[in-house]
Amino acid sequence: MQSQSTPEQRNATPSTMHTSPMEAGRQRQGRLWSNLKEVCDLLHITPAVSVNSEELLFQHVQFKTGQRVHTIGQAFDTLYIVNSGFLKTVLIDEFGNEQVLSFPMKGDMLGVDGIHTRHYASEAVALSDCDLILLPFKKLTALGRVHAELENVMYGVMSRELVREQAMIGMLGALSAEARVARFLVSLADRFAAMGYSSKLFNLRMTRHEIGSYLGLTLETVSRTLSAFNEIGLITVDQRTIGIKDADALKTLRRLPPSRSRAKQASAKQKAEVDQSGDDQILATA
Amino acid sequence: MQSQSTPEQRNATPSTMHTSPMEAGRQRQGRLWSNLKEVCDLLHITPAVSVNSEELLFQHVQFKTGQRVHTIGQAFDTLYIVNSGFLKTVLIDEFGNEQVLSFPMKGDMLGVDGIHTRHYASEAVALSDCDLILLPFKKLTALGRVHAELENVMYGVMSRELVREQAMIGMLGALSAEARVARFLVSLADRFAAMGYSSKLFNLRMTRHEIGSYLGLTLETVSRTLSAFNEIGLITVDQRTIGIKDADALKTLRRLPPSRSRAKQASAKQKAEVDQSGDDQILATA
DNA sequence: CGCGAGATTGACTCGGGTCAATAGTAGTGG
DNA sequence: CCACTACTATTGACCCGAGTCAATCTCGCG
């Protein structure tokens, strides 16, 4: 039961892409197996009982940028945990439009939506070269009987994902475009921080289009909003390099000041409220 | 906003209910206990192994309209399955605004979002008198060790919920107001059908405000959209009584015809004029 | 009965989508 | 090396869908 045969052939050929995969699936480089404790660590979940399970090993597999980990409708048999790299999960609506659902990164789990119908309900695409850990679902449930705390780990992960999606629904239902982008940046910063990277300066791994799809906005609105944040000094923007300048303002932002009265008042950093007097009646310092 | 009416509805813990679980009068308000098989049936999940578990009984509890089943931040200890009645689950944002997340009804599970942090992440409110089955989480996980297929049931239910929320995110991110309302109606109709009720004529259990919150719209937009659907013959509307006239059109609707050219072109599509001239005629509810 | 919550409808506004032009960037091959 | 192409990002002009504000209207209920 230990060494699974090769997971079924992944058709990792993006429809419009030309990357010749040629058995690109898994080179013999880096670590190829993890034990249960490492998996739990990765998930930020501390198992109640220390599991001495060196014999319980989970296989790794690598995906290159653009490759699909699983596609919609594909038979479900395994969950994945991201060990390194960045991905997106998407829904495809009846007219072929992509709807981005999440941007999984280190420590996130993929494939949970396949459990219910035994077919994946979403598609996962690597946005960078990735290293994933395979959790064959059958093996997992079998293990649950021996290591009881494992099922609690699973419940926790799924519940966490559920809460995350609830927050997403709340955001999409209630917040303005600026607030969505602001919270997206804060959320990314937090996740990078949790991974040990800088939360003040990082690279977006996704396009404006993908961000827009994720946030229920158009790419133009995303671009404009980032420019506006840059203009008032909340962030710096250079293509996909984002610098966070005022995380607190981003966290609480609801709507942006009217418009062209921004300029560089941001450098004042809300020392005093500007009283919104508009720019056409600029009175000198009182 | 919610007003302060119905003063007694706050803090409605089961212990304050008028039915004491100890005195198991059997015809008090219907059944007070269910075994595992009944629970699985309710969830529409067939356990792999028939469980002879008459000794495994789950307690019921009743909630009256307006009462809260659980609130945000409350310590998590039990899951609930709706046996009868209608509820809403809501998030409260930092300014006290409600965001409706779901409208659970018969066969749905409540409280899953509490597993992760051990505190409920949402609030559940009864929209009608309800009968819920209690699943103490500790008991559930303990049972999972004896009845292994139970954990598969749990995984399935959580995964289903996840898929549902994904679909919700896709809808909020991509669809127009009309399409959202249309799909909401279709979804309700399907759920009523699954419960054995009519999918052609039913009563909304929630206000326009709650529908709007759920769909990321204002109550005015919901009301206007329902009126428009009524105008073109897709549905009939009388307050909270909805009659579905053209489910297929609702399912595939993306955007409404420009505007005032509607009128009776709907009847052109279907030769069936609705009870000839009397257009303000509405169905009587039995 | 009147009261108050819910629902409908109209008028107006504006946030953000759409369309379009331009520019920066990366990959490829001569 | 540069040119060529495709993709990505920025920015402007325009406008429509849906939010906001507000005035009834209806209904259930004490």
Side-chain angles (χ1 to χ4, degrees):
Chain A
M1 89 149 52
Q2 30 95 10
S3 77
Q4 293 285 63
S5 62
T6 58
E8 65 186 9
Q9 167 69 8
R10 327 239 142 241
N11 63 341
T13 54
S15 56
T16 62
M17 293 202 56
H18 56 289
T19 58
S20 57
M22 63 181 72
E23 186 52 39
R26 37 236 212 42
Q27 297 89 339
R28 301 284 159 159
Q29 62 172 7
R31 315 192 37 236
L32 287 180
W33 302 85
S34 285
N35 62 32
L36 186 53
K37 179 173 185 315
E38 292 166 328
V39 169
C40 289
D41 287 349
L42 208 45
L43 290 168
H44 301 115
I45 290 184
T46 54
V49 182
S50 67
V51 194
N52 65 335
S53 52
E54 284 306 322
E55 77 282 6
L56 287 178
L57 291 179
F58 296 97
Q59 187 178 351
H60 288 226
V61 68
Q62 284 76 231
F63 290 87
K64 291 210 250 186
T65 304
Q67 287 186 322
R68 273 137 181 87
V69 178
H70 58 73
T71 60
I72 297 174
Q74 177 187 335
F76 164 83
D77 57 348
T78 114
L79 297 170
Y80 304 83
I81 296 173
V82 183
N83 184 48
S84 71
F86 301 87
L87 304 94
K88 66 173 176 181
T89 66
V90 302
L91 237 45
I92 314 284
D93 72 13
E94 57 262 67
F95 295 104
N97 302 311
E98 274 194 5
Q99 166 72 43
V100 176
L101 291 174
S102 65
F103 293 112
M105 51 187 76
K106 184 176 179 179
D108 291 326
M109 186 175 279
L110 295 178
V112 182
D113 56 32
I115 296 175
H116 175 227
T117 62
R118 297 289 157 168
H119 294 269
Y120 294 102
S122 65
E123 178 168 309
V125 184
L127 295 179
S128 70
D129 290 2
C130 291
D131 181 69
L132 307 187
I133 302 176
L134 298 177
L135 302 183
F137 190 63
K138 275 231 173 67
K139 192 175 170 186
L140 204 64
T141 51
L143 246 52
R145 242 147 287 162
V146 183
H147 303 282
E149 71 280 0
L150 185 58
E151 69 177 338
N152 273 331
V153 171
M154 281 299 298
Y155 289 151
V157 171
M158 293 177 72
S159 176
R160 180 212 289 169
E161 191 63 16
L162 218 75
V163 172
R164 192 194 69 79
E165 292 197 355
Q166 282 184 2
M168 196 67 205
I169 291 174
M171 184 167 100
L172 290 175
L175 296 190
S176 69
E178 291 102 7
R180 293 184 204 183
V181 175
R183 297 204 181 190
F184 172 69
L185 294 175
V186 171
S187 155
L188 271 190
D190 289 347
R191 294 172 75 189
F192 281 124
M195 288 165 50
Y197 299 149
S198 167
S199 66
K200 294 300 169 195
L201 187 65
F202 52 83
N203 257 275
L204 302 175
R205 295 324 217 278
M206 64 294 288
T207 68
R208 303 287 192 266
H209 179 78
E210 287 162 343
I211 297 172
S213 172
Y214 178 66
L215 297 176
L217 304 170
T218 60
L219 63 144
E220 293 96 329
T221 299
V222 173
S223 180
R224 268 187 260 267
T225 306
L226 290 176
S227 297
F229 287 171
N230 176 59
E231 207 177 319
I232 63 177
L234 297 184
I235 63 173
T236 59
V237 185
D238 175 35
Q239 295 295 113
R240 295 194 187 176
T241 302
I242 299 289
I244 303 290
K245 293 300 169 191
D246 190 344
D248 290 335
L250 288 174
K251 267 193 258 278
T252 61
L253 183 142
R254 303 231 112 201
R255 212 165 354 193
L256 237 33
S259 57
R260 62 180 170 286
S261 64
R262 300 166 188 159
K264 51 184 58 57
Q265 72 191 36
S267 56
K269 190 99 173 221
Q270 86 255 25
K271 56 197 299 185
E273 66 275 20
V274 198
D275 195 32
Q276 191 271 117
S277 61
D279 51 344
D280 39 8
Q281 57 172 7
I282 299 175
L283 46 121
T285 61
Chain B
M1 297 293 292
Q2 299 277 94
S3 74
Q4 72 289 3
S5 66
T6 60
E8 82 283 9
Q9 71 189 27
R10 297 216 162 256
N11 193 14
T13 61
S15 57
T16 65
M17 300 291 298
H18 59 291
T19 54
S20 170
M22 304 316 288
E23 45 172 1
R26 60 182 61 195
Q27 76 282 24
R28 180 72 176 142
Q29 301 230 355
R31 322 200 25 244
L32 288 180
W33 300 85
S34 286
N35 62 31
L36 187 51
K37 179 174 184 316
E38 292 166 328
V39 168
C40 289
D41 287 348
L42 208 46
L43 291 169
H44 301 116
I45 289 182
T46 54
V49 183
S50 67
V51 196
N52 66 336
S53 53
E54 284 306 321
E55 78 282 4
L56 287 179
L57 291 180
F58 296 97
Q59 186 180 349
H60 288 226
V61 69
Q62 284 76 231
F63 289 88
K64 292 209 252 185
T65 303
Q67 287 186 322
R68 273 136 182 89
V69 177
H70 58 75
T71 61
I72 298 175
Q74 175 187 336
F76 164 83
D77 57 348
T78 113
L79 297 169
Y80 305 83
I81 296 175
V82 183
N83 185 47
S84 71
F86 300 87
L87 304 94
K88 66 174 177 181
T89 65
V90 301
L91 237 45
I92 314 282
D93 72 13
E94 58 262 68
F95 295 105
N97 302 312
E98 275 194 5
Q99 165 72 42
V100 176
L101 292 174
S102 65
F103 294 112
M105 49 188 78
K106 185 176 179 180
D108 291 325
M109 187 176 278
L110 295 177
V112 182
D113 56 32
I115 295 176
H116 175 227
T117 62
R118 297 291 156 167
H119 294 269
Y120 294 103
S122 64
E123 178 167 310
V125 184
L127 295 179
S128 70
D129 289 3
C130 292
D131 181 68
L132 307 187
I133 302 175
L134 297 177
L135 302 183
F137 190 63
K138 274 230 172 67
K139 192 175 170 188
L140 205 63
T141 52
L143 249 49
R145 241 148 287 162
V146 184
H147 302 282
E149 70 279 2
L150 185 59
E151 72 177 337
N152 273 330
V153 171
M154 280 300 295
Y155 288 152
V157 171
M158 293 176 74
S159 175
R160 178 211 290 170
E161 191 63 16
L162 218 75
V163 172
R164 192 193 69 78
E165 291 196 355
Q166 283 184 2
M168 197 67 206
I169 291 173
M171 183 166 103
L172 290 176
L175 295 191
S176 69
E178 290 102 9
R180 294 184 203 183
V181 175
R183 298 204 180 190
F184 173 70
L185 294 175
V186 171
S187 154
L188 271 190
D190 290 347
R191 295 171 77 188
F192 281 124
M195 289 165 51
Y197 299 150
S198 168
S199 66
K200 295 300 169 195
L201 185 66
F202 51 82
N203 258 275
L204 300 175
R205 297 324 218 277
M206 64 294 287
T207 68
R208 303 287 192 266
H209 179 79
E210 287 161 343
I211 297 172
S213 172
Y214 178 65
L215 297 175
L217 303 171
T218 60
L219 63 144
E220 293 96 329
T221 298
V222 173
S223 179
R224 268 188 260 268
T225 305
L226 290 176
S227 296
F229 287 171
N230 177 60
E231 208 178 319
I232 63 178
L234 298 184
I235 63 173
T236 59
V237 185
D238 173 37
Q239 294 294 112
R240 296 196 186 174
T241 302
I242 299 288
I244 303 289
K245 292 301 170 191
D246 190 344
D248 291 334
L250 288 174
K251 266 192 259 277
T252 61
L253 183 144
R254 304 229 110 200
R255 209 154 25 186
L256 236 35
S259 55
R260 63 182 166 286
S261 66
R262 300 169 188 156
K264 54 186 54 60
Q265 75 190 33
S267 59
K269 174 170 175 265
Q270 318 268 30
K271 46 77 181 153
E273 61 275 10
V274 195
D275 193 27
Q276 81 270 15
S277 58
D279 54 346
D280 48 358
Q281 169 74 12
I282 48 175
L283 312 184
T285 4

